[in-house]
Amino acid sequence: MSPRLVRRAALLASGLATAGAVTLTGLPAASAAPAPGAASQLSAGTATAAARPSIRCLLRVHLPHYSHHSDAQDRHRVNVTADVKCNRKVAALKIKVRLYKNGRIYKTSGWRSNRGKAKIAHNAARRCVKNQKYQGEAWATVTFPPGYKPPVLNGHVKSKVVLIRKCKRS
């Protein structure tokens, strides 16, 4: 599945058909002034615009699905995954994932973090119950390298609700 870059406001209005996504962007100071009506675009600027390229990070939450990995172990799990991918290494990344069943919290992961990387992924999984509606949600924090202002940006996104009819391999 290819990622879709969208503004958060557009994401909330459209309810993306396959997954949710939001961008977190760090821009050189010369480009840091927000465009009119772009309040939903998260951006950070730097003190030395010529020396610093922009950094774009995409937070995605994928659709909840029956886990084929757990099927092989006879564990029958429903799983939702999320990731953050940046076009350059950042100072730190942090991500947390939640799985809902029929609109209620079913599983919440702890925070996963790393330093000096360009990507991070995490998941939340729990026992699959057939004929139930599942949804995924993710939160992320990107800490940009020294010199970016603001130095930290947060993102949040939800997937569409999906009905899982059976808890076995198709």
Side-chain angles (χ1 to χ4, degrees):
M1 172 189 334
S2 63
R4 290 180 55 184
L5 298 176
V6 295
R7 291 187 176 149
R8 185 179 168 127
L11 168 74
L12 296 174
S14 70
L16 288 175
T18 56
V22 67
T23 57
L24 304 168
T25 307
L27 300 172
S31 306
S40 62
Q41 179 74 31
L42 301 175
S43 63
T46 65
T48 56
R52 304 253 184 193
S54 64
I55 298 175
R56 289 189 353 168
C57 299
L58 177 66
L59 166 61
R60 296 184 304 176
V61 63
H62 304 273
L63 292 175
H65 59 278
Y66 176 71
S67 174
H68 296 292
H69 300 290
S70 64
D71 183 69
Q73 300 169 3
D74 227 11
R75 295 183 62 203
H76 306 291
R77 299 272 198 206
V78 63
N79 187 35
V80 64
T81 60
D83 56 63
V84 177
K85 292 182 182 175
C86 303
N87 64 336
R88 300 188 189 288
K89 291 180 181 177
V90 295
L93 291 167
K94 192 164 89 166
I95 190 167
K96 178 174 156 177
V97 183
R98 178 172 287 162
L99 176 65
Y100 291 89
K101 181 178 82 172
N102 296 325
R104 293 186 173 194
I105 296 171
Y106 195 47
K107 175 71 176 192
T108 303
S109 72
W111 284 98
R112 176 176 283 177
S113 59
N114 64 29
R115 295 188 165 280
K117 305 280 184 180
K119 61 184 177 179
I120 191 169
H122 205 8
N123 76 306
R126 194 156 173 207
R127 184 176 66 86
C128 184
V129 180
K130 67 180 180 178
N131 294 317
Q132 303 296 307
K133 293 179 182 175
Y134 294 94
Q135 183 177 28
E137 182 175 28
W139 297 264
T141 300
V142 177
T143 303
F144 290 97
Y148 281 80
K149 295 178 185 173
V152 177
L153 290 174
N154 297 300
H156 170 255
V157 68
K158 277 189 172 183
S159 74
K160 283 196 79 151
V161 175
V162 296
L163 174 65
I164 297 180
R165 295 201 179 274
K166 56 184 179 177
C167 296
K168 61 182 180 179
R169 238 180 212 182
S170 303

